[in-house]
Amino acid sequence: MPAGSPPLSRAPPVADPRPVIIAVDGRSGAGKTTVALELAALLRRHRTVSLFHLEDIYPGWDGLADGVGSYVSSVLEPLHRGLPAQWTAWDWAGKHDGDSRTTAVADVVLVEGVGAAHASARPYLDAVVWVEAAAAERKQRALARDGDTYAPFWDRWAEQEDRLLAGDAVAAVADIVVDGTNGVAAAPERVLTALAGLPALEALLAPELARRRGLAFSAERVAAHPAAADLFAALFGDSPDAVWLDSSIADGGGDSGQPAGRSRFSIMADASGSFGQTATHADGVTTVRAGQVAARIHGPFFRWLDSVWGRRAVRTPEHFPAEFTLGWLGYLGYGLKAETGGAAEAPPPGAASGTQAPPSSVPAAQPAAALLFAGRAVVVDHQEKCLYLLTLADAGLPASVAEADSWTSQVRAMLAQLHQADPPALPPAPAFSIRDGEARYKAMIAASLGEIRDGNSYEVCLTTQLEAHSGGRVDGWAAYLALRSRNPAPFAAFLRFGGTAVCSTSPERFLRIDSAGLMRAEPIKGTRRRGAGPQEDAALKAELSSSLKDRAENVMIVDLLRNDLSHYALPGSVTVPRLCAVESYATVHQLVSTIEAQLAPGNSRAQALAAAFPAGSMTGAPKISTMAILDRLEAGPRGIYSGGIGYFSLNAAMDLSVTIRTLVLQDTDDGGTHLSLGIGGAITADSDDDAEWQEIQAKAYGVLSTLGATFPG
């Protein structure tokens, strides 16, 4: 701008005159009218709302399709342009056109009725809510509401609904689905919460989001230290979705060479209570379920994670020594690499073991991520031999405070009656097969060495999977108890999400970010089995410590992680306080390093995690090009294996292990269970294929021997 020129004037921004339009659709009698009316009342607390019922515009009992057409042209089109909608109502008593009506422009327009979210209407809509229930229940409700008026026309109207929806599966594309099987009285509040989670409505529902961040956190200390397995079984044994982040090594004692304090706390939680939710991510959609309401958020998982975690929502009380202050717990699968520079995983082959299995024995595809939100939990302090009962409450709602108090009282009463239970018995182990037999695995090693010689990678972390199918159900809980007893680990975990159980005895931390932003990764590269006696064991440990190959593997991953953490770290804050230290566990010795960095203020914690995902110790270096090599070599997806297990806390802390030494059990439709165990090792320029083949057997030994199984072949 030339000197002396007057400042440029800027016109004030023009407010968008268009309302946010939300459709509440569903077949007759599902409960959509109740949902729409109650939702309108909730929305009016902070904004203006207009409500339009499609039944006012249908031209008679044969007019469903024509009514939807009039609704789109007369109501949605003008409202979408920010203009009032003028339309002609139907006179149901006189059976002819009635008076002219107007639906005013408001902050929100709720449109409700069969066809509200028809394909022709969806271009004008900002969100779609679908309410569903079985036909018999819907008919009973509709006739109870409208009596003899509706009874003669039910079948006639239902046929029109069938025709309208035949080529337009609204439920499949809806943003929010409400299960109205048992009524919808409790649904509107959850629908409002779900709407607040949709990126398109964040600005509109800012008051609701602000209230969600103003919650009261409580950590009540209890002077008790029962057996952890008995405690989890009593509290969460019957929960369909539950997580136990179990520092099982704390029960074992002994000198493992671990840093002090790593195994101090265990966390137990489920998705019960008014705050309970579950979230699964698959095919680019995160589905969040809370009671009878499910919301679908389209877009990357890490973008969704950033919206629900990473901003400090509660503060840690001074008397509470742990970092977890309630929040999300579960797993992130290896397939999320598609969002962090890798390619999407190919679907599993039809027969992982080389023989065609009957369709009923094939497990469902695992979600790329599965988490539950815990509004209450138990933290076990193994050092101080006590418990902390964690609760979340909306301090402005007496019912919420009462719910939290009631739960802590129930837990205290249960502790007084807790008794030690005998562990459930494991059935005979099924025979395992391996996805890649010795010849093929060694061929993959040779191919990896070729990629290294060609300069495409320095280190290729090659994996395969062991798989088995049991004709009867295998109890994941029984399997986990046996594993934690035989092979305790600092990052052990038991997860149950419906028919899937995850039994992990991982010794490796992937990434921790504490509430102050300190990031820490502790990669493992280098493994030896434990010796049969003290002398052999000491020799194996010394050999690992001095192995040039294993140290080279470890240092390469340390360099990779230094780079990963640096993307969101304060410049100059990346350090390596521990390099190639030996840690010893029940069945193996491991070579472990520690990398730390300070997250730069203002940076996204979810994006810092994404920059490091998946763990470099499970890919190799450089990460992106090596993941592409692995995609070409490995015969099937890794699934949960090679990802991370842990928590995302409301105080902005997180802690994830690397998903190794992990047995996954999935119920199948034939009444059986599919079992899988991922194993692998790092291939470098001086790798020996016989030694690598022996290494994966050593890594599988702890799990297989616990099950009474042997390595196939």
Side-chain angles (χ1 to χ4, degrees):
M1 181 185 296
S5 298
L8 295 174
S9 60
R10 297 185 182 274
V14 177
D16 190 342
R18 295 176 298 175
V20 169
I21 305 177
I22 301 172
V24 182
D25 202 343
R27 292 176 180 264
S28 295
K32 59 189 178 300
T33 303
T34 299
V35 170
L37 289 170
E38 295 296 328
L39 182 59
L42 294 171
L43 287 166
R44 286 188 178 112
R45 293 183 300 195
H46 300 290
R47 56 198 67 79
T48 59
V49 178
S50 289
L51 183 58
F52 173 80
H53 299 283
L54 268 75
E55 67 178 24
D56 293 334
I57 204 172
Y58 301 134
W61 289 108
D62 296 309
L64 176 56
D66 289 341
V68 170
S70 297
Y71 147 71
V72 172
S73 61
S74 302
V75 179
L76 289 184
E77 288 184 2
L79 287 172
H80 186 70
R81 298 197 305 270
L83 302 173
Q86 295 182 337
W87 48 279
T88 300
W90 179 254
D91 185 336
W92 286 90
K95 301 180 182 179
H96 54 69
D97 284 346
D99 56 347
S100 179
R101 298 185 188 177
T102 300
T103 298
V105 176
D107 296 327
V108 180
V109 176
L110 279 174
V111 291
E112 174 274 323
V114 182
H118 186 263
S120 60
R122 289 200 290 274
Y124 303 99
L125 304 176
D126 295 282
V128 172
V129 179
W130 174 265
V131 186
E132 61 186 15
E137 294 163 344
R138 291 189 290 103
K139 182 175 183 179
Q140 182 180 14
R141 291 176 197 167
L143 298 186
R145 181 190 65 199
D146 293 329
D148 295 337
T149 304
Y150 202 171
F153 304 102
W154 172 265
D155 292 336
R156 190 162 145 191
W157 188 259
E159 288 176 4
Q160 293 178 79
E161 291 182 353
D162 289 342
R163 289 196 299 272
L164 186 74
L165 296 169
D168 185 22
V170 179
V173 298
D175 299 292
I176 296 167
V177 176
V178 179
D179 179 359
T181 301
N182 297 313
V184 295
E189 282 277 6
R190 290 194 182 275
V191 170
L192 181 62
T193 299
L195 288 169
L198 302 179
L201 300 186
E202 282 183 358
L204 173 75
L205 298 177
E208 284 78 9
L209 288 168
R211 182 178 180 183
R212 188 176 70 184
R213 298 185 183 112
L215 299 171
F217 169 75
S218 174
E220 184 176 313
R221 189 180 189 275
V222 178
H225 192 251
D230 295 331
L231 180 62
F232 182 85
L235 287 175
F236 307 116
D238 295 328
S239 300
D241 305 298
V243 172
W244 178 13
L245 304 181
D246 170 26
S247 294
S248 63
I249 205 164
D251 294 342
D255 179 16
S256 68
Q258 295 183 63
R262 185 200 277 170
S263 298
R264 179 175 175 180
F265 301 106
S266 294
I267 301 167
M268 304 176 179
D270 69 0
S272 64
S274 59
F275 290 99
Q277 302 176 71
T278 60
T280 56
H281 184 86
D283 301 322
V285 179
T286 302
T287 302
V288 181
R289 292 180 173 84
Q292 68 193 111
V293 175
R296 301 185 183 109
I297 297 95
H298 295 262
F301 170 81
F302 288 104
R303 186 175 72 189
W304 171 81
L305 183 64
D306 188 51
S307 72
V308 298
W309 168 76
R311 302 171 185 87
R312 188 171 296 170
V314 302
R315 295 194 176 275
T316 309
E318 290 185 5
H319 75 279
F320 181 54
E323 276 283 312
F324 177 70
T325 57
L326 298 174
W328 296 93
L329 309 96
Y331 75 78
L332 313 186
Y334 181 72
L336 289 176
K337 69 185 177 70
E339 297 183 15
T340 62
E345 285 194 300
S353 61
T355 58
Q356 185 64 45
S360 60
S361 69
V362 176
Q366 299 160 353
L371 301 169
L372 64 82
F373 184 87
R376 52 205 193 190
V378 175
V379 171
V380 183
D381 187 337
H382 299 286
Q383 176 179 298
E384 298 299 321
K385 307 298 183 185
C386 68
L387 307 176
Y388 289 91
L389 309 186
L390 312 186
T391 57
L392 201 62
D394 187 330
L397 295 177
S400 181
V401 176
E403 180 187 47
D405 291 342
S406 174
W407 182 78
T408 57
S409 297
Q410 291 171 21
V411 175
R412 283 182 173 276
M414 181 277 301
L415 289 171
Q417 303 173 16
L418 190 65
H419 63 277
Q420 186 171 358
D422 293 330
L426 273 173
F432 279 81
S433 60
I434 189 167
R435 181 177 287 175
D436 306 287
E438 181 176 0
R440 188 179 190 282
Y441 193 76
K442 288 182 175 179
M444 291 195 295
I445 293 172
S448 300
L449 292 171
E451 297 284 356
I452 292 169
R453 284 193 299 271
D454 291 343
N456 299 323
S457 180
Y458 302 107
E459 180 176 2
V460 179
C461 295
L462 196 61
T463 78
T464 186
Q465 290 213 13
L466 302 175
E467 296 177 282
H469 181 75
S470 171
R473 289 278 190 252
V474 178
D475 184 1
W477 175 240
Y480 179 67
L481 291 181
L483 285 171
R484 81 183 292 268
S485 174
R486 183 178 178 87
N487 190 28
F491 299 105
F494 175 72
L495 285 65
R496 181 171 54 238
F497 287 97
T500 297
V502 181
C503 307
S504 181
T505 57
S506 174
E508 181 174 359
R509 169 175 276 144
F510 166 33
L511 181 63
R512 175 181 187 258
I513 306 177
D514 69 15
S515 57
L518 177 66
M519 300 185 285
R520 176 182 297 149
E522 296 180 288
I524 290 175
K525 272 287 161 257
T527 303
R528 295 292 184 276
R529 64 175 176 83
R530 296 298 299 262
Q535 287 186 329
E536 182 188 8
D537 193 58
L540 287 166
K541 182 176 180 179
E543 192 271 328
L544 173 62
S545 180
S546 60
S547 168
L548 294 179
K549 172 189 177 293
D550 290 295
R551 294 180 72 89
E553 288 181 18
N554 199 295
V555 169
M556 277 189 260
I557 299 305
V558 168
D559 283 343
L560 185 153
L561 278 161
R562 289 173 66 243
N563 177 70
D564 285 350
L565 298 189
S566 70
H567 292 299
Y568 291 89
L570 279 172
S573 69
V574 181
T575 61
V576 183
R578 190 171 63 135
L579 184 65
C580 296
V582 176
E583 293 182 3
S584 300
Y585 299 92
T587 59
V588 292
H589 299 293
Q590 308 268 203
L591 209 58
V592 188
S593 295
T594 300
I595 306 97
E596 292 184 343
Q598 181 63 42
L599 185 72
N603 279 344
S604 162
R605 291 171 182 245
Q607 290 306 311
L609 167 61
F613 191 90
S617 60
M618 300 306 296
T619 62
K623 183 183 287 187
I624 292 176
S625 62
T626 304
M627 285 193 293
I629 293 169
L630 292 166
D631 287 341
R632 294 195 296 271
L633 295 179
E634 295 182 355
R638 296 186 182 183
I640 295 172
Y641 172 60
S642 297
I645 293 173
Y647 69 75
F648 302 93
S649 174
L650 289 175
N651 64 352
M654 62 152 275
D655 202 354
L656 294 177
S657 66
V658 179
T659 311
I660 56 175
R661 318 290 197 273
T662 298
L663 180 70
V664 179
L665 303 95
Q666 294 175 270
D667 293 345
T668 52
D669 292 341
D670 64 350
T673 299
H674 179 270
L675 300 89
S676 62
L677 173 68
I679 48 175
I683 310 303
T684 60
D686 54 356
S687 286
D688 173 78
D689 60 1
D690 283 329
E692 296 294 344
W693 181 246
Q694 292 299 318
E695 181 176 335
I696 66 170
Q697 293 182 59
K699 290 176 175 177
Y701 175 77
V703 174
L704 292 181
S705 60
T706 300
L707 298 174
T710 58
F711 195 87

